[in-house]
Amino acid sequence: MVAKNLESAARRFLPLTESTFLILAALAEPRHGYGIMQDVEVVSGGRVRLGAGTLYGALTHLVDQKLIKRHGETGEGSDRRKVYALTPLGEAVVGLEARRLADLAGIAADVTKRLGGGR
Amino acid sequence: MNGEKTTKRVWRWLLPWNDEREERWLAEQARSGWRLTKVECFGGYTFERAAPGEVVYRLDVAPSKLRDRGEYFDLFRDAGWTLLGHRGLWQFFARDASDGRVQEIYTDNRSKIGKYRRILAFLGAMTAVMGSQMAVNPGVRRERPVAAIYAVMLALFLYFIVRVLLRIRGLKAAAGGQG
């Protein structure tokens, strides 16, 4: 029952913007802000590069929405950084969105084939 | 070279909707051999002579929650930005243009608009304070010169608000519905 509630709560956040999806996906493991920035750039093959102000605003917003939470710290002294992690709600949201995108990717592959070869 | 100035101080107005013009002007200074080294809260800039080069300057309005400020500045530093100073609501950041990393602090329109909304919130609060002083403080109304100063300030703030609103509208139009 709890899981059901979580899923319906999560559904209200869909669809996600591309950058929100990539930020949440990066947080499949806890990371600090700059770690998220790097991961998003790597997994998108350099296509999505987030500015520091944009990422900071997105993180604040996602914390307010309770999709992510602050999750301790890493490093020592001036290298000490706050780490972010997904909440159960955030996990549900990114999971549902991943499934939705996978379904769409299937349709995309199909339509590409029907339109002849995908050039 | 002997006797040539190695530092200079410049004082400039900075109006809340002119941040990008200021960024371009600072970059031009760097291009002509003057690196910004210090920003004072009342509008003074200190420049030092340096080899002409490409420097990216960005002005941001930090989030108001003091609790989060450390994280904010850490993230900017990690991303390669050097904080040069504060002026009013503005934080001045700089980076070498040749480092090949992201040169914008806002990479989508929505978050960029957020910056101007924070300015708007500040201007709105100032206007509300002044407006309510004029309305309820009899001293303000009795003393002509004080009332005049308040009226001028209020008009100025309302003008600022309109200009910032127009800036936001421009950004929204540029986003073409995706913002």
Side-chain angles (χ1 to χ4, degrees), chain B residues 84-152:
Chain B
L84 294 176
H86 310 269
R87 174 177 174 182
L89 293 178
W90 298 106
Q91 278 69 53
F92 284 67
F93 293 102
R95 81 180 312 146
D96 211 321
S98 61
D99 65 7
R101 291 156 79 189
V102 188
Q103 298 193 349
E104 293 300 335
I105 54 175
Y106 290 108
T107 42
D108 65 29
N109 243 31
R110 196 168 52 152
S111 54
K112 199 168 179 174
I113 288 170
K115 168 166 109 171
Y116 295 102
R117 283 199 205 287
R118 290 195 286 281
I119 298 172
L120 212 52
F122 171 77
L123 291 174
M126 292 297 284
T127 308
V129 168
M130 275 193 299
S132 60
Q133 279 293 308
M134 278 181 89
V136 303
N137 188 339
V140 170
R141 272 179 297 175
R142 214 179 311 117
E143 302 292 329
R144 276 276 175 86
V146 177
I149 291 170
Y150 265 77
V152 169

Side-chain angles (χ1 to χ4, degrees), chain B residues 50-93:
Chain B
E54 292 294 319
V55 180
V56 180
Y57 293 96
R58 294 288 177 254
L59 274 58
D60 195 22
V61 178
S64 51
K65 281 187 201 160
L66 278 175
R67 176 174 68 91
D68 298 339
R69 285 223 166 181
E71 280 173 86
Y72 168 86
F73 288 117
D74 284 344
L75 183 54
F76 274 71
R77 181 161 3 116
D78 289 348
W81 295 100
T82 305
L83 178 68
L84 294 176
H86 310 269
R87 174 177 174 182
L89 293 178
W90 298 106
Q91 278 69 53
F92 284 67
F93 293 102

